[in-house]
Amino acid sequence: MKVWQYGLLGLGIIFLVIQFVPNQLPEVIENNPKDLMGSGLVEGEMATLLKTACYDCHSNETKYPWYSFVAPASWLVAKDTREGREEVNFSYWTDIDMMDKLAILDDVYSEVEEKHMPLPIYLSMHSEAKLTPEDRQKIMEWAEAAMDIVVEEE
Amino acid sequence: MKKLSLLPIAALVGVLFFQAIQKPEVETHPEIDMEAPKIPAKVKAVIDQKCYGCHNAEAKGEKAKKKLDWDQFEAEKKAKQLAAMSKINEALVEGEMPPKKFLENKPEGKLTEEEMAILLDWSAGKKKSGE
């Protein structure tokens, strides 16, 4: 066997071994009565947009692609999903305090405006989540209008 | 003749009646609710002394200005102000502000317990809603 063949074999073995490293993907929950989607704050086209662009990481309804179950990609998916939900989980929207809702919506506006979200690495695998400038504008306008509604509701 | 003279009276009563109905609608001004209250004087004093140096429109640090600009704050609508207050509260609770790096060079910039309490109380927002 040549050196490069040994190298390939070595990589193959490492690949197989890391599959046994424990890795916990955040749980998927389908029924979320407290979700933003049922709150009356978002509907129609905007609901679809948010679900496609944000909900894999910022809700309990993550749609895990096949590579989510294969290390080392699975580690990154688990980390980003866990951190995304910690930052804001739209599945618990109605439980969130009014002031925190406003801070979240204000962040939605700036994160989308500055193209920090959706994460570039997420977009590299999810072209359907890519936002056109018009999409970004729509989300920003929605977030701003939603803030006024949240204040009035209180 | 009697019936004819009743007509203007009926019309007058009708007009008065409609005015009475419309009145409550005229009195509501939803825009006023969207206007934000002014920052209380003692809160403003702490802000001017401990926050404004970095968080103002002419600030050198782009990040500090972008995150919070006190020169803009009072011109913002209520929802934006409350969102900013919510983030201020979080930054204070987490001990993120004033930044540790900043305090290394300027220890007198640290918030006293009293100043911290004033800012926390104000930025929590809720207590003020009763006023």
Side-chain angles (χ1 to χ4, degrees):
Chain A
M1 261 163 72
K2 296 219 174 70
V3 177
W4 67 268
Q5 286 173 319
Y6 276 112
L8 211 62
L9 185 70
L11 282 178
I13 291 168
I14 291 170
F15 178 77
L16 286 177
V17 168
I18 62 171
Q19 300 313 313
F20 293 97
V21 176
N23 182 48
Q24 189 84 50
L25 290 172
E27 189 189 358
V28 174
I29 304 168
E30 295 290 348
N31 185 25
N32 299 292
K34 292 169 179 171
D35 198 278
L36 172 70
M37 291 300 153
S39 70
L41 211 54
V42 55
E43 54 196 9
E45 190 193 7
M46 185 51 58
T48 314
L49 202 53
L50 295 180
K51 279 208 157 193
T52 318
C54 323
Y55 263 50
D56 269 346
C57 293
H58 294 296
S59 85
N60 289 337
E61 296 169 53
T62 310
K63 291 190 180 70
Y64 289 116
W66 64 268
Y67 53 80
S68 310
F69 305 99
V70 184
S74 55
W75 302 341
L76 183 69
V77 173
K79 176 182 170 283
D80 283 349
T81 310
R82 188 180 61 243
E83 289 179 356
R85 288 188 190 182
E86 273 168 16
E87 195 60 43
V88 51
N89 187 338
F90 291 119
S91 293
Y92 300 121
W93 181 257
T94 56
D95 269 351
I96 301 171
D97 174 76
M98 183 267 278
M99 296 279 285
D100 293 333
K101 280 181 184 164
L102 293 174
I104 290 167
L105 289 168
D106 201 45
D107 283 341
V108 167
Y109 185 102
S110 55
E111 291 291 310
V112 169
E113 182 183 37
E114 289 157 30
K115 300 185 181 173
H116 292 162
M117 284 288 151
L119 285 181
I121 194 158
Y122 175 77
L123 292 177
S124 69
M125 299 303 287
H126 293 80
S127 53
E128 77 281 3
K130 277 185 185 145
L131 299 172
T132 65
E134 293 77 35
D135 289 338
R136 290 192 186 270
Q137 195 58 39
K138 274 183 205 160
I139 293 175
M140 285 153 61
E141 280 165 14
W142 167 79
E144 205 169 5
M147 285 175 74
D148 287 339
I149 296 169
V150 167
V151 172
E152 278 178 72
E153 275 174 352
E154 189 71 8
Chain B
M1 271 303 272
K2 265 196 175 178
K3 271 186 186 171
L4 266 177
S5 66
L6 271 176
L7 253 166
I9 296 168
L12 195 69
V13 169
V15 166
L16 285 173
F17 190 72
F18 274 105
Q19 270 189 328
I21 287 173
Q22 281 171 347
K23 221 172 187 179
E25 276 180 47
V26 173
E27 273 178 8
T28 52
H29 290 285
E31 306 88 41
I32 284 174
D33 294 329
M34 300 312 289
E35 266 175 41
K38 284 256 179 283
I39 303 173
K42 65 175 181 177
V43 178
K44 188 105 172 97
V46 179
I47 291 166
D48 283 345
Q49 215 187 335
K50 298 289 172 82
C51 319
Y52 187 78
C54 296
H55 294 287
N56 67 76
E58 261 88 59
K60 284 181 199 146
E62 278 302 314
K63 195 181 168 197
K65 180 163 65 179
K66 202 163 198 295
K67 289 249 177 187
L68 175 66
D69 176 359
W70 286 111
D71 289 320
Q72 223 175 26
F73 184 88
E74 286 201 281
E76 298 270 23
K77 57 182 180 176
K78 191 178 174 188
K80 282 267 179 192
Q81 286 195 8
L82 290 173
M85 285 158 70
S86 172
K87 291 182 201 179
I88 290 164
N89 195 271
E90 196 186 336
L92 292 173
V93 170
E94 303 284 329
E96 289 165 6
M97 281 292 140
K100 292 201 171 58
K101 279 263 179 202
F102 170 78
L103 292 179
E104 275 173 22
N105 299 320
K106 202 169 177 286
E108 69 273 20
K110 195 176 185 323
L111 294 167
T112 66
E113 261 179 53
E114 197 198 347
E115 289 170 334
M116 179 63 101
I118 289 171
L119 290 183
L120 282 176
D121 198 49
W122 168 73
S123 60
K126 281 272 162 73
K127 284 156 202 155
K128 296 273 159 196
S129 65
E131 285 179 7

